[in-house]
Amino acid sequence: LRSDRDIDRYQFSQDNTVFLSRKWESGVDFEVVEASDDRTATQISLREVQPHVALILTSRGRFDGNMSWIQAISNRNTIPFELGRGANRGANFRWTLRGTYQFGQTLSGSLNYTGRRDRGEKTFHTGRLEVRASF
């Protein structure tokens, strides 16, 4: 953290995951954060809901997906990163898709895609696809 900050943070989180079968798991996480910086008189409240799902392919791979909705409320127009974890005032969205798969004994691959849409900003997409062969 920056030395010009005096941050107090109170946080509560709960992870609720259900195993639907041997292959599927799903759930939703909740998080509430109250933070303040006494030096700049900044206060922030964060509410986050994060549904998630996973497909487990025994001895072959795994695919995960999650989406995050973050509501940020602050007494300032601009929220310092240390307080708001990069969220802007209002509704913010983030999503991730990840996967790994073993095609054969010597061939595997992975996929990673993330996106974010913060209030007042353009949507950002980032992806990576990787295939590995062992000789």
mmCIF file with all atom_site columns, all heavy atoms in Angstrom, residues 58-81:
data_model
loop_
_atom_site.group_PDB
_atom_site.id
_atom_site.type_symbol
_atom_site.label_atom_id
_atom_site.label_alt_id
_atom_site.label_comp_id
_atom_site.label_asym_id
_atom_site.label_entity_id
_atom_site.label_seq_id
_atom_site.pdbx_PDB_ins_code
_atom_site.Cartn_x
_atom_site.Cartn_y
_atom_site.Cartn_z
_atom_site.occupancy
_atom_site.B_iso_or_equiv
_atom_site.pdbx_formal_charge
_atom_site.auth_seq_id
_atom_site.auth_comp_id
_atom_site.auth_asym_id
_atom_site.auth_atom_id
_atom_site.pdbx_PDB_model_num
ATOM 1   N N   . THR A 1 58 ? -12.319 -36.013 -15.499 1.00 0.00 ? 58 THR A N   1
ATOM 2   C CA  . THR A 1 58 ? -11.371 -36.813 -14.744 1.00 0.00 ? 58 THR A CA  1
ATOM 3   C C   . THR A 1 58 ? -10.231 -37.295 -15.629 1.00 0.00 ? 58 THR A C   1
ATOM 4   O O   . THR A 1 58 ? -10.453 -37.863 -16.686 1.00 0.00 ? 58 THR A O   1
ATOM 5   C CB  . THR A 1 58 ? -12.087 -38.016 -14.096 1.00 0.00 ? 58 THR A CB  1
ATOM 6   O OG1 . THR A 1 58 ? -13.199 -37.528 -13.346 1.00 0.00 ? 58 THR A OG1 1
ATOM 7   C CG2 . THR A 1 58 ? -11.158 -38.784 -13.185 1.00 0.00 ? 58 THR A CG2 1
ATOM 8   N N   . SER A 1 59 ? -9.025  -37.039 -15.199 1.00 0.00 ? 59 SER A N   1
ATOM 9   C CA  . SER A 1 59 ? -7.748  -37.385 -15.846 1.00 0.00 ? 59 SER A CA  1
ATOM 10  C C   . SER A 1 59 ? -7.606  -36.781 -17.249 1.00 0.00 ? 59 SER A C   1
ATOM 11  O O   . SER A 1 59 ? -6.710  -37.152 -17.986 1.00 0.00 ? 59 SER A O   1
ATOM 12  C CB  . SER A 1 59 ? -7.534  -38.899 -15.886 1.00 0.00 ? 59 SER A CB  1
ATOM 13  O OG  . SER A 1 59 ? -8.411  -39.512 -16.818 1.00 0.00 ? 59 SER A OG  1
ATOM 14  N N   . ARG A 1 60 ? -8.467  -35.850 -17.622 1.00 0.00 ? 60 ARG A N   1
ATOM 15  C CA  . ARG A 1 60 ? -8.368  -35.186 -18.926 1.00 0.00 ? 60 ARG A CA  1
ATOM 16  C C   . ARG A 1 60 ? -8.226  -33.669 -18.814 1.00 0.00 ? 60 ARG A C   1
ATOM 17  O O   . ARG A 1 60 ? -7.488  -33.063 -19.567 1.00 0.00 ? 60 ARG A O   1
ATOM 18  C CB  . ARG A 1 60 ? -9.608  -35.486 -19.774 1.00 0.00 ? 60 ARG A CB  1
ATOM 19  C CG  . ARG A 1 60 ? -9.615  -36.815 -20.417 1.00 0.00 ? 60 ARG A CG  1
ATOM 20  C CD  . ARG A 1 60 ? -8.503  -36.872 -21.394 1.00 0.00 ? 60 ARG A CD  1
ATOM 21  N NE  . ARG A 1 60 ? -8.790  -37.828 -22.432 1.00 0.00 ? 60 ARG A NE  1
ATOM 22  C CZ  . ARG A 1 60 ? -7.879  -38.240 -23.268 1.00 0.00 ? 60 ARG A CZ  1
ATOM 23  N NH1 . ARG A 1 60 ? -6.670  -37.759 -23.222 1.00 0.00 ? 60 ARG A NH1 1
ATOM 24  N NH2 . ARG A 1 60 ? -8.176  -39.125 -24.174 1.00 0.00 ? 60 ARG A NH2 1
ATOM 25  N N   . GLY A 1 61 ? -8.976  -33.055 -17.884 1.00 0.00 ? 61 GLY A N   1
ATOM 26  C CA  . GLY A 1 61 ? -8.900  -31.608 -17.788 1.00 0.00 ? 61 GLY A CA  1
ATOM 27  C C   . GLY A 1 61 ? -10.002 -31.017 -16.957 1.00 0.00 ? 61 GLY A C   1
ATOM 28  O O   . GLY A 1 61 ? -10.718 -31.701 -16.232 1.00 0.00 ? 61 GLY A O   1
ATOM 29  N N   . ARG A 1 62 ? -10.126 -29.703 -17.084 1.00 0.00 ? 62 ARG A N   1
ATOM 30  C CA  . ARG A 1 62 ? -11.099 -28.953 -16.286 1.00 0.00 ? 62 ARG A CA  1
ATOM 31  C C   . ARG A 1 62 ? -11.421 -27.664 -17.024 1.00 0.00 ? 62 ARG A C   1
ATOM 32  O O   . ARG A 1 62 ? -10.543 -27.030 -17.612 1.00 0.00 ? 62 ARG A O   1
ATOM 33  C CB  . ARG A 1 62 ? -10.500 -28.657 -14.918 1.00 0.00 ? 62 ARG A CB  1
ATOM 34  C CG  . ARG A 1 62 ? -11.384 -27.848 -14.019 1.00 0.00 ? 62 ARG A CG  1
ATOM 35  C CD  . ARG A 1 62 ? -10.706 -27.566 -12.686 1.00 0.00 ? 62 ARG A CD  1
ATOM 36  N NE  . ARG A 1 62 ? -11.545 -26.717 -11.881 1.00 0.00 ? 62 ARG A NE  1
ATOM 37  C CZ  . ARG A 1 62 ? -12.227 -27.121 -10.830 1.00 0.00 ? 62 ARG A CZ  1
ATOM 38  N NH1 . ARG A 1 62 ? -12.149 -28.363 -10.437 1.00 0.00 ? 62 ARG A NH1 1
ATOM 39  N NH2 . ARG A 1 62 ? -12.971 -26.279 -10.151 1.00 0.00 ? 62 ARG A NH2 1
ATOM 40  N N   . PHE A 1 63 ? -12.687 -27.248 -16.959 1.00 0.00 ? 63 PHE A N   1
ATOM 41  C CA  . PHE A 1 63 ? -13.129 -25.985 -17.534 1.00 0.00 ? 63 PHE A CA  1
ATOM 42  C C   . PHE A 1 63 ? -13.901 -25.222 -16.464 1.00 0.00 ? 63 PHE A C   1
ATOM 43  O O   . PHE A 1 63 ? -14.782 -25.785 -15.814 1.00 0.00 ? 63 PHE A O   1
ATOM 44  C CB  . PHE A 1 63 ? -14.002 -26.224 -18.769 1.00 0.00 ? 63 PHE A CB  1
ATOM 45  C CG  . PHE A 1 63 ? -13.239 -26.841 -19.906 1.00 0.00 ? 63 PHE A CG  1
ATOM 46  C CD1 . PHE A 1 63 ? -13.171 -28.216 -20.042 1.00 0.00 ? 63 PHE A CD1 1
ATOM 47  C CD2 . PHE A 1 63 ? -12.572 -26.044 -20.812 1.00 0.00 ? 63 PHE A CD2 1
ATOM 48  C CE1 . PHE A 1 63 ? -12.457 -28.797 -21.070 1.00 0.00 ? 63 PHE A CE1 1
ATOM 49  C CE2 . PHE A 1 63 ? -11.849 -26.609 -21.845 1.00 0.00 ? 63 PHE A CE2 1
ATOM 50  C CZ  . PHE A 1 63 ? -11.790 -27.992 -21.984 1.00 0.00 ? 63 PHE A CZ  1
ATOM 51  N N   . ASP A 1 64 ? -13.535 -23.958 -16.264 1.00 0.00 ? 64 ASP A N   1
ATOM 52  C CA  . ASP A 1 64 ? -14.144 -23.114 -15.242 1.00 0.00 ? 64 ASP A CA  1
ATOM 53  C C   . ASP A 1 64 ? -14.661 -21.830 -15.872 1.00 0.00 ? 64 ASP A C   1
ATOM 54  O O   . ASP A 1 64 ? -14.034 -21.293 -16.790 1.00 0.00 ? 64 ASP A O   1
ATOM 55  C CB  . ASP A 1 64 ? -13.114 -22.704 -14.182 1.00 0.00 ? 64 ASP A CB  1
ATOM 56  C CG  . ASP A 1 64 ? -12.561 -23.861 -13.416 1.00 0.00 ? 64 ASP A CG  1
ATOM 57  O OD1 . ASP A 1 64 ? -13.242 -24.305 -12.497 1.00 0.00 ? 64 ASP A OD1 1
ATOM 58  O OD2 . ASP A 1 64 ? -11.447 -24.306 -13.744 1.00 0.00 ? 64 ASP A OD2 1
ATOM 59  N N   . GLY A 1 65 ? -15.757 -21.337 -15.339 1.00 0.00 ? 65 GLY A N   1
ATOM 60  C CA  . GLY A 1 65 ? -16.277 -20.043 -15.748 1.00 0.00 ? 65 GLY A CA  1
ATOM 61  C C   . GLY A 1 65 ? -16.855 -19.315 -14.562 1.00 0.00 ? 65 GLY A C   1
ATOM 62  O O   . GLY A 1 65 ? -17.448 -19.928 -13.682 1.00 0.00 ? 65 GLY A O   1
ATOM 63  N N   . ASN A 1 66 ? -16.630 -18.017 -14.517 1.00 0.00 ? 66 ASN A N   1
ATOM 64  C CA  . ASN A 1 66 ? -17.257 -17.220 -13.470 1.00 0.00 ? 66 ASN A CA  1
ATOM 65  C C   . ASN A 1 66 ? -17.543 -15.820 -13.994 1.00 0.00 ? 66 ASN A C   1
ATOM 66  O O   . ASN A 1 66 ? -16.941 -15.367 -14.965 1.00 0.00 ? 66 ASN A O   1
ATOM 67  C CB  . ASN A 1 66 ? -16.424 -17.196 -12.183 1.00 0.00 ? 66 ASN A CB  1
ATOM 68  C CG  . ASN A 1 66 ? -15.132 -16.443 -12.320 1.00 0.00 ? 66 ASN A CG  1
ATOM 69  O OD1 . ASN A 1 66 ? -15.085 -15.352 -12.865 1.00 0.00 ? 66 ASN A OD1 1
ATOM 70  N ND2 . ASN A 1 66 ? -14.057 -17.015 -11.822 1.00 0.00 ? 66 ASN A ND2 1
ATOM 71  N N   . MET A 1 67 ? -18.485 -15.194 -13.349 1.00 0.00 ? 67 MET A N   1
ATOM 72  C CA  . MET A 1 67 ? -18.866 -13.826 -13.664 1.00 0.00 ? 67 MET A CA  1
ATOM 73  C C   . MET A 1 67 ? -18.947 -13.080 -12.346 1.00 0.00 ? 67 MET A C   1
ATOM 74  O O   . MET A 1 67 ? -19.357 -13.657 -11.340 1.00 0.00 ? 67 MET A O   1
ATOM 75  C CB  . MET A 1 67 ? -20.227 -13.822 -14.369 1.00 0.00 ? 67 MET A CB  1
ATOM 76  C CG  . MET A 1 67 ? -20.560 -12.509 -15.037 1.00 0.00 ? 67 MET A CG  1
ATOM 77  S SD  . MET A 1 67 ? -21.073 -11.299 -13.874 1.00 0.00 ? 67 MET A SD  1
ATOM 78  C CE  . MET A 1 67 ? -22.600 -10.774 -14.465 1.00 0.00 ? 67 MET A CE  1
ATOM 79  N N   . SER A 1 68 ? -18.522 -11.838 -12.343 1.00 0.00 ? 68 SER A N   1
ATOM 80  C CA  . SER A 1 68 ? -18.527 -11.067 -11.113 1.00 0.00 ? 68 SER A CA  1
ATOM 81  C C   . SER A 1 68 ? -19.246 -9.741  -11.343 1.00 0.00 ? 68 SER A C   1
ATOM 82  O O   . SER A 1 68 ? -18.968 -9.047  -12.327 1.00 0.00 ? 68 SER A O   1
ATOM 83  C CB  . SER A 1 68 ? -17.084 -10.820 -10.660 1.00 0.00 ? 68 SER A CB  1
ATOM 84  O OG  . SER A 1 68 ? -17.056 -10.043 -9.500  1.00 0.00 ? 68 SER A OG  1
ATOM 85  N N   . TRP A 1 69 ? -20.176 -9.427  -10.450 1.00 0.00 ? 69 TRP A N   1
ATOM 86  C CA  . TRP A 1 69 ? -20.844 -8.138  -10.438 1.00 0.00 ? 69 TRP A CA  1
ATOM 87  C C   . TRP A 1 69 ? -20.416 -7.424  -9.174  1.00 0.00 ? 69 TRP A C   1
ATOM 88  O O   . TRP A 1 69 ? -20.563 -7.958  -8.074  1.00 0.00 ? 69 TRP A O   1
ATOM 89  C CB  . TRP A 1 69 ? -22.359 -8.316  -10.451 1.00 0.00 ? 69 TRP A CB  1
ATOM 90  C CG  . TRP A 1 69 ? -23.119 -7.052  -10.210 1.00 0.00 ? 69 TRP A CG  1
ATOM 91  C CD1 . TRP A 1 69 ? -23.363 -6.053  -11.104 1.00 0.00 ? 69 TRP A CD1 1
ATOM 92  C CD2 . TRP A 1 69 ? -23.723 -6.636  -8.982  1.00 0.00 ? 69 TRP A CD2 1
ATOM 93  N NE1 . TRP A 1 69 ? -24.088 -5.055  -10.510 1.00 0.00 ? 69 TRP A NE1 1
ATOM 94  C CE2 . TRP A 1 69 ? -24.317 -5.381  -9.197  1.00 0.00 ? 69 TRP A CE2 1
ATOM 95  C CE3 . TRP A 1 69 ? -23.807 -7.209  -7.708  1.00 0.00 ? 69 TRP A CE3 1
ATOM 96  C CZ2 . TRP A 1 69 ? -24.988 -4.687  -8.204  1.00 0.00 ? 69 TRP A CZ2 1
ATOM 97  C CZ3 . TRP A 1 69 ? -24.482 -6.519  -6.708  1.00 0.00 ? 69 TRP A CZ3 1
ATOM 98  C CH2 . TRP A 1 69 ? -25.068 -5.278  -6.965  1.00 0.00 ? 69 TRP A CH2 1
ATOM 99  N N   . ILE A 1 70 ? -19.840 -6.237  -9.329  1.00 0.00 ? 70 ILE A N   1
ATOM 100 C CA  . ILE A 1 70 ? -19.360 -5.457  -8.188  1.00 0.00 ? 70 ILE A CA  1
ATOM 101 C C   . ILE A 1 70 ? -20.055 -4.102  -8.200  1.00 0.00 ? 70 ILE A C   1
ATOM 102 O O   . ILE A 1 70 ? -19.950 -3.349  -9.171  1.00 0.00 ? 70 ILE A O   1
ATOM 103 C CB  . ILE A 1 70 ? -17.830 -5.239  -8.247  1.00 0.00 ? 70 ILE A CB  1
ATOM 104 C CG1 . ILE A 1 70 ? -17.104 -6.571  -8.308  1.00 0.00 ? 70 ILE A CG1 1
ATOM 105 C CG2 . ILE A 1 70 ? -17.357 -4.410  -7.059  1.00 0.00 ? 70 ILE A CG2 1
ATOM 106 C CD1 . ILE A 1 70 ? -15.656 -6.454  -8.716  1.00 0.00 ? 70 ILE A CD1 1
ATOM 107 N N   . GLN A 1 71 ? -20.755 -3.807  -7.125  1.00 0.00 ? 71 GLN A N   1
ATOM 108 C CA  . GLN A 1 71 ? -21.384 -2.501  -6.961  1.00 0.00 ? 71 GLN A CA  1
ATOM 109 C C   . GLN A 1 71 ? -20.501 -1.689  -6.022  1.00 0.00 ? 71 GLN A C   1
ATOM 110 O O   . GLN A 1 71 ? -20.251 -2.109  -4.890  1.00 0.00 ? 71 GLN A O   1
ATOM 111 C CB  . GLN A 1 71 ? -22.792 -2.652  -6.374  1.00 0.00 ? 71 GLN A CB  1
ATOM 112 C CG  . GLN A 1 71 ? -23.512 -1.351  -6.160  1.00 0.00 ? 71 GLN A CG  1
ATOM 113 C CD  . GLN A 1 71 ? -23.900 -0.669  -7.462  1.00 0.00 ? 71 GLN A CD  1
ATOM 114 O OE1 . GLN A 1 71 ? -24.113 -1.295  -8.474  1.00 0.00 ? 71 GLN A OE1 1
ATOM 115 N NE2 . GLN A 1 71 ? -23.982 0.642   -7.425  1.00 0.00 ? 71 GLN A NE2 1
ATOM 116 N N   . ALA A 1 72 ? -20.010 -0.557  -6.498  1.00 0.00 ? 72 ALA A N   1
ATOM 117 C CA  . ALA A 1 72 ? -19.118 0.299   -5.705  1.00 0.00 ? 72 ALA A CA  1
ATOM 118 C C   . ALA A 1 72 ? -19.820 1.615   -5.398  1.00 0.00 ? 72 ALA A C   1
ATOM 119 O O   . ALA A 1 72 ? -20.291 2.299   -6.303  1.00 0.00 ? 72 ALA A O   1
ATOM 120 C CB  . ALA A 1 72 ? -17.817 0.543   -6.454  1.00 0.00 ? 72 ALA A CB  1
ATOM 121 N N   . ILE A 1 73 ? -19.850 1.953   -4.124  1.00 0.00 ? 73 ILE A N   1
ATOM 122 C CA  . ILE A 1 73 ? -20.451 3.210   -3.671  1.00 0.00 ? 73 ILE A CA  1
ATOM 123 C C   . ILE A 1 73 ? -19.374 3.965   -2.902  1.00 0.00 ? 73 ILE A C   1
ATOM 124 O O   . ILE A 1 73 ? -18.708 3.389   -2.035  1.00 0.00 ? 73 ILE A O   1
ATOM 125 C CB  . ILE A 1 73 ? -21.662 2.938   -2.757  1.00 0.00 ? 73 ILE A CB  1
ATOM 126 C CG1 . ILE A 1 73 ? -22.717 2.130   -3.515  1.00 0.00 ? 73 ILE A CG1 1
ATOM 127 C CG2 . ILE A 1 73 ? -22.250 4.244   -2.222  1.00 0.00 ? 73 ILE A CG2 1
ATOM 128 C CD1 . ILE A 1 73 ? -23.783 1.540   -2.615  1.00 0.00 ? 73 ILE A CD1 1
ATOM 129 N N   . SER A 1 74 ? -19.194 5.244   -3.224  1.00 0.00 ? 74 SER A N   1
ATOM 130 C CA  . SER A 1 74 ? -18.150 6.028   -2.568  1.00 0.00 ? 74 SER A CA  1
ATOM 131 C C   . SER A 1 74 ? -18.582 7.479   -2.432  1.00 0.00 ? 74 SER A C   1
ATOM 132 O O   . SER A 1 74 ? -19.431 7.961   -3.189  1.00 0.00 ? 74 SER A O   1
ATOM 133 C CB  . SER A 1 74 ? -16.842 5.953   -3.370  1.00 0.00 ? 74 SER A CB  1
ATOM 134 O OG  . SER A 1 74 ? -15.847 6.745   -2.752  1.00 0.00 ? 74 SER A OG  1
ATOM 135 N N   . ASN A 1 75 ? -17.971 8.185   -1.493  1.00 0.00 ? 75 ASN A N   1
ATOM 136 C CA  . ASN A 1 75 ? -18.208 9.613   -1.338  1.00 0.00 ? 75 ASN A CA  1
ATOM 137 C C   . ASN A 1 75 ? -17.322 10.432  -2.279  1.00 0.00 ? 75 ASN A C   1
ATOM 138 O O   . ASN A 1 75 ? -17.393 11.646  -2.285  1.00 0.00 ? 75 ASN A O   1
ATOM 139 C CB  . ASN A 1 75 ? -18.000 10.043  0.112   1.00 0.00 ? 75 ASN A CB  1
ATOM 140 C CG  . ASN A 1 75 ? -16.568 9.875   0.569   1.00 0.00 ? 75 ASN A CG  1
ATOM 141 O OD1 . ASN A 1 75 ? -15.814 9.075   0.008   1.00 0.00 ? 75 ASN A OD1 1
ATOM 142 N ND2 . ASN A 1 75 ? -16.172 10.605  1.592   1.00 0.00 ? 75 ASN A ND2 1
ATOM 143 N N   . ARG A 1 76 ? -16.498 9.775   -3.079  1.00 0.00 ? 76 ARG A N   1
ATOM 144 C CA  . ARG A 1 76 ? -15.621 10.437  -4.052  1.00 0.00 ? 76 ARG A CA  1
ATOM 145 C C   . ARG A 1 76 ? -15.967 9.979   -5.463  1.00 0.00 ? 76 ARG A C   1
ATOM 146 O O   . ARG A 1 76 ? -16.428 8.856   -5.663  1.00 0.00 ? 76 ARG A O   1
ATOM 147 C CB  . ARG A 1 76 ? -14.155 10.092  -3.785  1.00 0.00 ? 76 ARG A CB  1
ATOM 148 C CG  . ARG A 1 76 ? -13.655 10.446  -2.422  1.00 0.00 ? 76 ARG A CG  1
ATOM 149 C CD  . ARG A 1 76 ? -13.403 11.915  -2.338  1.00 0.00 ? 76 ARG A CD  1
ATOM 150 N NE  . ARG A 1 76 ? -12.813 12.215  -1.041  1.00 0.00 ? 76 ARG A NE  1
ATOM 151 C CZ  . ARG A 1 76 ? -12.436 13.398  -0.684  1.00 0.00 ? 76 ARG A CZ  1
ATOM 152 N NH1 . ARG A 1 76 ? -12.562 14.404  -1.514  1.00 0.00 ? 76 ARG A NH1 1
ATOM 153 N NH2 . ARG A 1 76 ? -11.936 13.606  0.505   1.00 0.00 ? 76 ARG A NH2 1
ATOM 154 N N   . ASN A 1 77 ? -15.723 10.827  -6.453  1.00 0.00 ? 77 ASN A N   1
ATOM 155 C CA  . ASN A 1 77 ? -15.961 10.448  -7.836  1.00 0.00 ? 77 ASN A CA  1
ATOM 156 C C   . ASN A 1 77 ? -14.958 9.410   -8.317  1.00 0.00 ? 77 ASN A C   1
ATOM 157 O O   . ASN A 1 77 ? -15.294 8.526   -9.090  1.00 0.00 ? 77 ASN A O   1
ATOM 158 C CB  . ASN A 1 77 ? -15.917 11.671  -8.758  1.00 0.00 ? 77 ASN A CB  1
ATOM 159 C CG  . ASN A 1 77 ? -17.142 12.538  -8.586  1.00 0.00 ? 77 ASN A CG  1
ATOM 160 O OD1 . ASN A 1 77 ? -18.207 12.054  -8.222  1.00 0.00 ? 77 ASN A OD1 1
ATOM 161 N ND2 . ASN A 1 77 ? -16.988 13.826  -8.823  1.00 0.00 ? 77 ASN A ND2 1
ATOM 162 N N   . THR A 1 78 ? -13.719 9.537   -7.899  1.00 0.00 ? 78 THR A N   1
ATOM 163 C CA  . THR A 1 78 ? -12.660 8.606   -8.276  1.00 0.00 ? 78 THR A CA  1
ATOM 164 C C   . THR A 1 78 ? -12.280 7.786   -7.051  1.00 0.00 ? 78 THR A C   1
ATOM 165 O O   . THR A 1 78 ? -12.001 8.345   -5.991  1.00 0.00 ? 78 THR A O   1
ATOM 166 C CB  . THR A 1 78 ? -11.422 9.361   -8.799  1.00 0.00 ? 78 THR A CB  1
ATOM 167 O OG1 . THR A 1 78 ? -11.823 10.190  -9.894  1.00 0.00 ? 78 THR A OG1 1
ATOM 168 C CG2 . THR A 1 78 ? -10.362 8.395   -9.266  1.00 0.00 ? 78 THR A CG2 1
ATOM 169 N N   . ILE A 1 79 ? -12.251 6.465   -7.225  1.00 0.00 ? 79 ILE A N   1
ATOM 170 C CA  . ILE A 1 79 ? -11.936 5.564   -6.117  1.00 0.00 ? 79 ILE A CA  1
ATOM 171 C C   . ILE A 1 79 ? -10.484 5.112   -6.241  1.00 0.00 ? 79 ILE A C   1
ATOM 172 O O   . ILE A 1 79 ? -10.099 4.542   -7.269  1.00 0.00 ? 79 ILE A O   1
ATOM 173 C CB  . ILE A 1 79 ? -12.860 4.339   -6.128  1.00 0.00 ? 79 ILE A CB  1
ATOM 174 C CG1 . ILE A 1 79 ? -14.316 4.773   -6.009  1.00 0.00 ? 79 ILE A CG1 1
ATOM 175 C CG2 . ILE A 1 79 ? -12.482 3.370   -5.011  1.00 0.00 ? 79 ILE A CG2 1
ATOM 176 C CD1 . ILE A 1 79 ? -15.317 3.661   -6.215  1.00 0.00 ? 79 ILE A CD1 1
ATOM 177 N N   . PRO A 1 80 ? -9.659  5.337   -5.220  1.00 0.00 ? 80 PRO A N   1
ATOM 178 C CA  . PRO A 1 80 ? -8.282  4.840   -5.282  1.00 0.00 ? 80 PRO A CA  1
ATOM 179 C C   . PRO A 1 80 ? -8.265  3.311   -5.399  1.00 0.00 ? 80 PRO A C   1
ATOM 180 O O   . PRO A 1 80 ? -9.093  2.623   -4.813  1.00 0.00 ? 80 PRO A O   1
ATOM 181 C CB  . PRO A 1 80 ? -7.676  5.277   -3.943  1.00 0.00 ? 80 PRO A CB  1
ATOM 182 C CG  . PRO A 1 80 ? -8.545  6.386   -3.465  1.00 0.00 ? 80 PRO A CG  1
ATOM 183 C CD  . PRO A 1 80 ? -9.917  6.095   -4.003  1.00 0.00 ? 80 PRO A CD  1
ATOM 184 N N   . PHE A 1 81 ? -7.311  2.792   -6.168  1.00 0.00 ? 81 PHE A N   1
ATOM 185 C CA  . PHE A 1 81 ? -7.224  1.355   -6.408  1.00 0.00 ? 81 PHE A CA  1
ATOM 186 C C   . PHE A 1 81 ? -7.117  0.572   -5.095  1.00 0.00 ? 81 PHE A C   1
ATOM 187 O O   . PHE A 1 81 ? -7.703  -0.499  -4.955  1.00 0.00 ? 81 PHE A O   1
ATOM 188 C CB  . PHE A 1 81 ? -6.013  1.041   -7.296  1.00 0.00 ? 81 PHE A CB  1
ATOM 189 C CG  . PHE A 1 81 ? -5.946  -0.411  -7.685  1.00 0.00 ? 81 PHE A CG  1
ATOM 190 C CD1 . PHE A 1 81 ? -6.666  -0.870  -8.772  1.00 0.00 ? 81 PHE A CD1 1
ATOM 191 C CD2 . PHE A 1 81 ? -5.204  -1.321  -6.952  1.00 0.00 ? 81 PHE A CD2 1
ATOM 192 C CE1 . PHE A 1 81 ? -6.635  -2.210  -9.127  1.00 0.00 ? 81 PHE A CE1 1
ATOM 193 C CE2 . PHE A 1 81 ? -5.161  -2.657  -7.296  1.00 0.00 ? 81 PHE A CE2 1
ATOM 194 C CZ  . PHE A 1 81 ? -5.882  -3.101  -8.390  1.00 0.00 ? 81 PHE A CZ  1
#
